[in-house]
């Protein structure tokens, strides 16, 4: 691997996650020096060999412990970096904790991270990982496309008491806080707004979003609502979009990042054609399900920066299925 010393050192928070670990892999392949944060593990019981064994990791990856509940812990990982990719976020779809606790965690964590970026005097841009959840449930989009001007209406989401509601609210408030704090600190912050993300994974656990994307294969009817009328993006395209927006000098504001929109029937056809061994459910089983729609998204702003998606649905499902099989998850 040829290392381009001009690429410099960047920090990825949430390095053990689905997207965080894949982004580290991509950054190392691109020649970057990478600092990453993982949650505090005083007894060092956690196996992070999937990170330390990455090509280039022994020379160019440094791992630090940090927790959003202890915002000051991120500073040492950020010191000396030119960029920060802030991806750490508590997912907790089971909603074991109160919404207020999570909002406090992500916003105080963000404050600590952005303050450390400002104090470092070396960070030239923060790339913040938001989510389509922060834009898609907007009451201002009307019947038009969802674009970067749209913000989810958190009161509306709270009133629905729906699956993932706390996540949607937390991501919306966190992105607003990130933009607000960055402005106050005079930091250059760009938000990436990915839709559901799937594909291969190097982390040992089954990522929640990969599991949801494979609801038809796992026969998990509870998630048919999430694949009925929606969009997906390959994890490598999300990682590449983050790096592209870090490197693209004129990047500014928010960027929706979504590769393919599809219906559940189209997804069924694709899986049946490529993987006839998986019995697809009868269309009757989803007939009356109301979809959680992540479609009608405008991706023009990202494409206008010259970014190109490299993967379609076939690559996403080939990657996800291969990894699940290799890890004994399917
Ligand atoms: N996957 C998607 O479809 C999708 C779509 C749009 C946006 N996103 C965003 O992308 C980012 C990564 O998501 P993901 O799918 O990769 O989820 P993930 O696999 O659950 O990764 C989340 C990461 O955040 C870390 N984290 C959680 N709580 C923390 C805390 N209190 N302090 C420090 N770190 C903490 C986790 O550490 P542990 O490993 O210790 O739990 C993990 O490294 C998130 O911001 C998410 O909102 C994801």
């Amino acid at each position: 691997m040829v290392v381009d010393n001009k690429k410099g050192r960047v920090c990825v928070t949430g390095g053990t996650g689905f997207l965080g670990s894949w982004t580290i892999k991509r950054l190392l392949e691109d020649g970057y020096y990478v600092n990453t944060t993982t949650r505090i593990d005083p007894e060092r019981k956690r196996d992070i060999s999937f990170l330390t064994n990455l090509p280039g990791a022994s020379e160019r990856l440094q791992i630090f412990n940090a927790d959003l509940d202890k915002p000051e812990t991120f500073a040492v990982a950020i010191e000396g970096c030119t960029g920060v990719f802030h991806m750490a976020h508590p997912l907790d779809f089971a909603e074991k904790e109160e919404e207020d606790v999570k909002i406090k965690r992500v916003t105080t964590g963000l404050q600590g991270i952005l303050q450390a970026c400002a104090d470092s005097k070396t960070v030239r841009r923060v790339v913040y990982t938001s989510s389509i959840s922060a834009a898609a449930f907007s009451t201002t989009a009307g019947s038009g496309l969802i674009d970067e001007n749209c913000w989810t209406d958190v009161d509306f989401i709270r009133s629905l008491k729906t699956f993932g509601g706390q996540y949607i609210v937390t991501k919306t408030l966190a992105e607003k806080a990130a933009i607000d704090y960055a402005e106050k600190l005079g930091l250059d912050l760009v938000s990436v707004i990915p839709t559901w993300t799937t594909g291969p994974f190097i982390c040992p656990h089954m990522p929640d979003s990969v599991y949801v994307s494979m609801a038809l294969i796992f026969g998990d009817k509870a998630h048919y609502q999430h694949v009925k009328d929606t969009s997906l993006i390959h994890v490598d395209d999300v990682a590449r979009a983050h790096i592209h927006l870090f490197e693209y000098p004129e990047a500014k504001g928010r960027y929706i990042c979504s590769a393919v929109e599809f219906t559940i029937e189209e997804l069924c056809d694709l899986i049946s054609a490529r993987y006839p061994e998986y019995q697809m459910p009868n269309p009757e089983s989803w007939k009356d399900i109301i979809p959680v729609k992540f479609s009608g998204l405008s991706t023009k702003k990202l494409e206008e920066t010259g970014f190109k998606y490299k993967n379609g649905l076939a690559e996403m499902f080939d990657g996800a299925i291969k990894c699940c099989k290799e890890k004994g998850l399917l």
Side-chain angles (χ1 to χ4, degrees), residues 14-20 39 46 66-69 74 87-91 105 129-132 167 171 194-197 205 209:
T16 48
F18 170 41
L19 180 56
R39 276 206 259 190
R46 189 166 189 177
D67 197 304
L68 294 170
D69 284 323
F74 287 89
M87 299 185 162
H89 188 88
L91 264 77
R105 175 175 304 135
T129 313
S130 182
S131 158
I132 197 61
Y167 174 76
K171 286 302 285 186
T195 188
W196 283 112
T197 304
H205 63 276
S209 56

Side-chain angles (χ1 to χ4, degrees), residues 233 236 278:
I233 181 161
D236 192 51
Y278 299 126

